[in-house]
């Protein structure tokens, strides 16, 4: 129960900061006011503030109080920060940064995966791909299988730092996938691109694998631009991933 109170308080204060209720450079209200507003003790407020300091949102000091830091200092690899930003609204700049990060990390990781992947790694990625196909054919949670596919590729490069980064990238990748999937037939049209990446890894062809993942990332970028231009409502990461509707008897090449 205490953990839930702590988590809820961190969530409320974090979202208030990211959405601009407490603007950059401003100070949080005094502890007694926050306790009254949120209905929690001073201990809970202090522990929540410590968590937000760790996420790069706040700084404390005897002369500055508890102050909101500039957005550039926020930990954008923290899933909570990304989730709060999705509630505040995903800007073009945020999505541009996300796609550029994918362009920097994934091609190199997939190239290494084509050289280093074990049979177990390939079996995991194939299983994730099969889940993506089932979600398209029968309806289901495509995004979860898509995340598993990309995590499998990052782990298969057998670089410990990249493998750790895959955990940090989770919320960022989910943002990209959910927006791409807002397009009609988006998941179905992306399957051949995923298959090309998998086939290149299986064939131990680093150059083909790199080219295939770049095509996949560029396709996601086009999907994101199309969704933004359509002014459709963007997903919020605090909610379950949207489910794909079944394709009415159509089958997908495996």
């Amino acid at each position: 129960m205490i953990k839930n109170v702590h988590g809820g308080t961190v969530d409320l204060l974090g979202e208030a900061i990211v959405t601009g209720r407490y603007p950059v450079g401003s100070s949080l209200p005094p502890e007694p006011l926050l306790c009254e507003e949120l209905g929690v003790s001073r201990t809970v407020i202090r522990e929540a503030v410590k968590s937000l300091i760790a996420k790069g949102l706040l700084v404390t000091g005897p002369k500055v109080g508890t102050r909101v830091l500039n957005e550039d200092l926020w930990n954008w690899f923290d899933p909570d920060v990304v989730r709060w930003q999705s509630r505040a609204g995903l800007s073009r700049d945020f999505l541009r940064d996300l796609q550029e990060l994918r362009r920097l990390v994934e091609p190199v990781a997939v190239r290494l995966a084509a050289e280093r992947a074990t049979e177990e790694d390939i079996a995991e990625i194939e299983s994730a791909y099969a889940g993506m196909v089932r979600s398209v054919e029968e309806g289901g949670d495509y995004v979860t299988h898509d995340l598993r596919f990309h995590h499998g590729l990052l782990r298969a490069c057998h670089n410990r730092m990249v493998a750790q980064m895959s955990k940090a990238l989770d919320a960022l990748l989910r943002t990209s996938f959910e927006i791409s999937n807002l397009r009609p037939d988006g998941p179905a049209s992306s399957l051949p691109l995923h298959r090309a990446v998998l086939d290149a890894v299986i064939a131990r062809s680093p150059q083909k694998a790199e080219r295939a993942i770049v095509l996949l990332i560029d396709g996601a970028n086009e999907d994101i631009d199309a969704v933004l231009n359509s002014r459709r409502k963007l997903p919020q990461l605090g909610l379950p991933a949207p489910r794909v509707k079944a394709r009415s008897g159509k089958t997908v090449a495996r």
Side-chain angles (χ1 to χ4, degrees), residues 7-21 52 57 74 76 78-91 94-95 171 174-175 178-179 233-240:
T9 305
V10 171
D11 200 49
L12 288 170
L13 289 176
E15 186 174 349
I17 292 168
V18 175
T19 57
R21 181 181 172 192
L52 293 170
L57 273 66
W74 298 354
W76 289 107
D78 188 296
D80 287 335
V81 177
V82 177
R83 180 165 52 83
W84 296 328
Q85 181 62 63
S86 80
R87 293 177 184 170
L90 297 172
S91 68
F94 176 86
L95 295 171
R174 182 179 165 184
T175 301
E178 288 200 17
I179 294 173
K233 186 176 180 180
L234 298 178
Q236 291 190 4
L237 299 186
L239 304 175

Side-chain angles (χ1 to χ4, degrees), residues 17-217:
I17 292 168
V18 175
T19 57
R21 181 181 172 192
Y22 303 128
V24 169
S26 69
S27 296
L28 290 189
E31 279 184 4
L33 290 180
L34 288 175
C35 291
E36 182 179 353
E37 179 182 345
L38 301 179
V40 297
S41 67
R42 287 195 175 197
T43 300
V44 171
I45 293 295
R46 289 169 185 169
E47 291 303 313
V49 166
K50 288 180 183 178
S51 295
L52 293 170
I53 290 171
K55 295 175 186 293
L57 273 66
L58 295 173
V59 65
T60 60
K63 295 183 179 180
V64 299
T66 303
R67 184 166 50 84
V68 178
L69 288 172
N70 189 281
E71 294 176 7
D72 292 342
L73 298 174
W74 298 354
N75 181 6
W76 289 107
F77 287 124
D78 188 296
D80 287 335
V81 177
V82 177
R83 180 165 52 83
W84 296 328
Q85 181 62 63
S86 80
R87 293 177 184 170
L90 297 172
S91 68
R92 287 182 180 271
D93 286 346
F94 176 86
L95 295 171
R96 179 205 63 203
D97 290 347
L98 166 57
Q99 291 305 100
E100 287 177 354
L101 179 65
R102 291 191 66 189
R103 267 284 205 149
L104 288 169
V105 174
E106 288 192 89
V108 175
V110 170
R111 188 182 183 95
L112 291 173
E115 298 172 349
R116 301 176 179 176
T118 65
E119 293 303 316
E120 291 79 10
D121 293 329
I122 291 173
E124 167 65 14
I125 300 166
E126 286 186 313
S127 176
Y129 179 78
M132 294 163 68
V133 172
R134 284 195 306 273
S135 296
V136 169
E137 290 182 346
E138 304 169 10
D141 182 359
Y142 181 89
V143 170
T144 295
H145 296 295
D146 201 354
L147 279 170
R148 185 180 161 205
F149 181 93
H150 288 266
H151 286 173
L153 289 170
L154 292 172
R155 284 194 299 271
C157 76
H158 290 279
N159 179 296
R160 285 172 291 185
M161 295 181 183
V162 173
Q164 286 294 315
M165 185 177 287
S166 72
K167 300 175 183 178
L169 284 172
D170 185 82
L172 295 170
L173 288 173
R174 182 179 165 184
T175 301
S176 175
F177 299 159
E178 288 200 17
I179 294 173
S180 295
N181 291 345
L182 290 175
R183 295 197 75 183
D185 248 4
S189 63
S190 76
L191 281 176
L193 299 173
H194 285 84
R195 185 72 242 183
V197 175
L198 176 53
D199 287 343
V201 172
I202 292 172
R204 305 291 180 184
S205 177
Q207 290 183 339
K208 285 185 179 180
E210 184 176 1
R211 286 197 298 269
I213 196 69
V214 168
L215 284 175
L216 180 57
I217 294 169

